[in-house]
Amino acid sequence: MDHAAEGANVSSVDAAEGAIETRGIEPVPDHERHGRVRELFPTWVAANISVLLLTMGAALIVFNSLNFWQVLIVAIAAAVVSFGLVGVLSVSGKWGGAPGAMLSRATFGVRGNLFPGSILWVARFGWETINAVTGAYAVLTVLDLLFGISSNTPLIVVTLFAFVASTFLVSGMGRKALNVCNKWSTYLFGVFSVLVLGYLIVHVDWHDVFSKPAGSTAMLIAGIGTIAAGGISWVPTGPDFARYLPHAASGKKIVGTTVSGAGIVMVPMVLMGAVMAVSTPDLAKAQDPVSFLGDLLPTWLAVPYLITAIVGMLLINSLSMYSAGFTAQTMGVKLPRAAAVSINAMISLVGGLLLMLVATSFLSSFITFLILLAVSFSAWIGVYAVDMFRRRTRAVRYDPEALMDTGRTSRYWYAGGFCWQAMTAWTIALAAGLCFTDCAWFSGPLASTFIGKYGLGWAATIVISALVMALLPTPREGDDAPAPDATSARREPEKVSA
């Protein structure tokens, strides 16, 4: 069978080494695997540079009624659980050299992958919109602190557009540009975070902080799920940033670097938000999740800290849009990766304007979105993890030609393009997860159960999807492919320029 690789028109020059990455969803060949595991550290640091973590830390104090030590437990557990999953599933990127959305074809089938892929793509829109709004609010706060310019509708529109456009530019340039930006933003944000921590240590009333009574175990566990939801949203895109790693790269180092990169930001920022909320509880309820920093910190510290945070949030969205471009191509969008990113950029702009100009409660919308985000991603995680576990002992874990072949000749065609085992497990888990969900928009029929009350719907979803997938018969790849001479039903592999 003569498979035409999608990247056949790419020159022999490494597709990731130029100023703009030219590689799309096609698997990275071995001779271009020049990445190093340590490059993942600034990537996952940058993925968490968001002042939303301050607001979420404050919410643990105000709404979950937790004390300082419970917030510390929540922050550490959330970082380890969520980015532990990111790290483990990122190893598949090293195995297959392709984005997570592409490798998922081997799990669900070339047609079946469209269903979970579409939900993950929609969820990605929401995540990018939330981050774009937060970044725009940060810009507005800096303008107010430096020049006394008050927020108004025209300024909101211009600021949000500028933020989304900048995100689109950076994400469109690709891997090399992202690595450089991530590295320097890590240094800058680290310096100013230490300064903010020092300021809080000196000026906070620590007696009030440590005298706060402990909250319930239910609220502690629910808090872990809320904070972990952001990390869980990165699980399907983890392989995207590991696909340039050589096969010899250590899987343990990938997991360790991922967790440490995320945790070194998540834990102190969540704690900082909790400490701030003890003296200023209103920051957890504000429509604008950023402006409170101008009230709590002196201008000389608040402005540079917010500027570095703006860069960080721009990078979060750039990383997300970078992966969204791959998802769009996998879903059949016949555009180069950089151009495919524009779809997400436009949706982020429209959604951001609605959230900033129409929505009455930013935090309520955000928390609800996080809950639904965790459930939708968790159903995919369990199925993908079991499939990945089964591939670990195979000589060829992912067939690069079969991944690019979307016709009946593909090894991953299964039955009519669907892996019925994976689709069954995913559908059952997704439905069950929604039944356990209780949020501002709806309450599932099982929301009053132990799992629902403790906010463990996302965890139950992962377990259910993994168990169902493991108990069903192991899928047999290639069973439904036609014989080599049955060319009448054959399609050429898709060609999507990078």
Side-chain angles (χ1 to χ4, degrees):
M1 182 173 64
D2 182 22
H3 290 282
E6 179 181 342
N9 61 338
V10 178
S11 68
S12 59
V13 179
D14 191 324
E17 291 302 317
I20 299 178
E21 182 180 0
T22 58
R23 182 169 300 285
I25 56 176
E26 70 276 10
V28 180
D30 289 350
H31 70 273
E32 291 187 21
R33 303 285 197 92
H34 306 314
R36 298 182 179 182
V37 175
R38 65 170 178 260
E39 293 175 353
L40 296 177
F41 185 83
T43 296
W44 296 118
V45 169
N48 288 278
I49 300 177
S50 172
V51 293
L52 281 174
L53 286 172
L54 298 176
T55 304
M56 293 168 71
L60 294 176
I61 293 290
V62 177
F63 300 121
N64 291 48
S65 300
L66 304 182
N67 64 15
F68 178 87
W69 302 112
Q70 289 178 311
V71 172
L72 176 61
I73 293 172
V74 166
I76 294 174
V80 172
V81 170
S82 61
F83 282 93
L85 288 171
V86 174
V88 170
L89 270 66
S90 291
V91 175
S92 64
K94 178 195 73 168
W95 291 352
M102 191 66 168
L103 297 175
S104 186
R105 283 180 176 175
T107 304
F108 292 91
V110 294
R111 287 180 174 174
N113 192 47
L114 298 176
F115 289 86
S118 62
I119 290 182
L120 298 184
W121 196 19
V122 170
R124 186 63 59 194
F125 295 154
W127 187 241
E128 290 159 5
T129 298
I130 292 289
N131 283 318
V133 168
T134 308
Y137 274 131
V139 174
L140 292 170
T141 300
V142 170
L143 291 175
D144 184 34
L145 291 175
L146 286 180
F147 308 108
I149 301 175
S150 299
S151 175
N152 54 66
T153 298
L155 186 59
I156 288 175
V157 173
V158 171
T159 302
L160 185 62
F161 178 82
F163 187 88
V164 172
S166 299
T167 300
F168 172 69
L169 176 63
V170 176
S171 62
M173 294 181 70
R175 173 178 173 268
K176 187 174 182 180
L178 285 170
N179 282 346
V180 172
C181 292
N182 291 340
K183 178 181 177 180
W184 288 104
S185 67
T186 296
Y187 294 150
L188 290 173
F189 191 75
V191 169
F192 286 107
S193 292
V194 170
L195 291 175
V196 172
L197 281 171
Y199 180 86
L200 291 176
I201 289 173
V202 173
H203 292 87
V204 165
D205 187 338
W206 290 100
H207 178 268
D208 287 347
V209 172
F210 291 118
S211 63
K212 185 173 176 57
S216 67
T217 302
M219 288 294 98
L220 184 148
I221 295 175
I224 293 174
T226 302
I227 304 298
I232 289 172
S233 72
W234 288 106
V235 175
T237 58
D240 303 8
F241 305 108
R243 66 186 187 132
Y244 282 95
L245 296 178
H247 292 286
S250 168
K252 291 182 180 179
K253 288 184 178 179
I254 291 174
V255 176
T257 303
T258 301
V259 173
S260 59
I264 202 172
V265 179
M266 283 183 68
V267 175
M269 289 198 71
V270 170
L271 285 176
M272 286 164 56
V275 169
M276 292 176 179
V278 172
S279 58
T280 314
D282 288 343
L283 71 87
K285 306 174 184 178
Q287 169 65 14
D288 177 348
V290 179
S291 60
F292 70 88
L293 287 173
D295 299 326
L296 293 175
L297 301 176
T299 302
W300 65 266
L301 182 55
V303 170
Y305 183 67
L306 280 172
I307 290 174
T308 57
I310 290 168
V311 174
M313 286 180 285
L314 188 150
L315 288 174
I316 291 175
N317 255 18
S318 296
L319 291 169
S320 182
M321 285 191 180
Y322 174 76
S323 293
F326 297 134
T327 305
Q329 289 183 323
T330 306
M331 296 293 294
V333 175
K334 303 299 182 182
L335 291 173
R337 180 192 59 78
V341 171
S342 63
I343 298 174
N344 285 57
M346 290 301 300
I347 293 175
S348 292
L349 181 61
V350 174
L353 289 174
L354 290 175
L355 193 55
M356 296 181 78
L357 300 176
V358 178
T360 57
S361 173
F362 175 88
L363 185 63
S364 175
S365 301
F366 177 53
I367 296 297
T368 298
F369 169 72
L370 281 180
I371 293 171
L372 297 177
L373 184 78
V375 172
S376 62
F377 279 68
S378 295
W380 182 93
I381 290 170
V383 176
Y384 189 89
V386 171
D387 179 72
M388 181 181 164
F389 178 80
R390 289 170 172 167
R391 295 178 187 278
R392 76 194 189 286
T393 57
R394 298 181 187 178
V396 179
R397 289 163 174 146
Y398 293 97
D399 183 340
E401 291 187 353
L403 287 172
M404 297 305 299
D405 186 356
T406 58
R408 294 179 181 273
T409 52
S410 176
R411 179 176 181 173
Y412 305 123
W413 182 253
Y414 297 109
F418 296 85
C419 175
W420 69 267
Q421 296 93 331
M423 294 301 298
T424 299
W426 175 76
T427 302
I428 291 174
L430 184 62
L434 292 176
C435 287
F436 288 119
T437 298
D438 184 16
C439 62
W441 298 343
F442 75 94
S443 181
L446 301 177
S448 60
T449 62
F450 174 87
I451 293 175
K453 288 180 179 179
Y454 280 69
L456 291 172
W458 62 275
T461 303
I462 294 177
V463 172
I464 292 171
S465 61
L467 280 177
V468 175
M469 182 67 175
L471 292 174
L472 290 174
T474 301
R476 298 180 63 184
E477 297 173 354
D479 279 2
D480 295 296
D485 59 347
T487 56
S488 60
R490 177 179 170 184
R491 287 174 51 195
E492 287 297 318
E494 60 185 298
K495 292 181 173 64
V496 181
S497 61

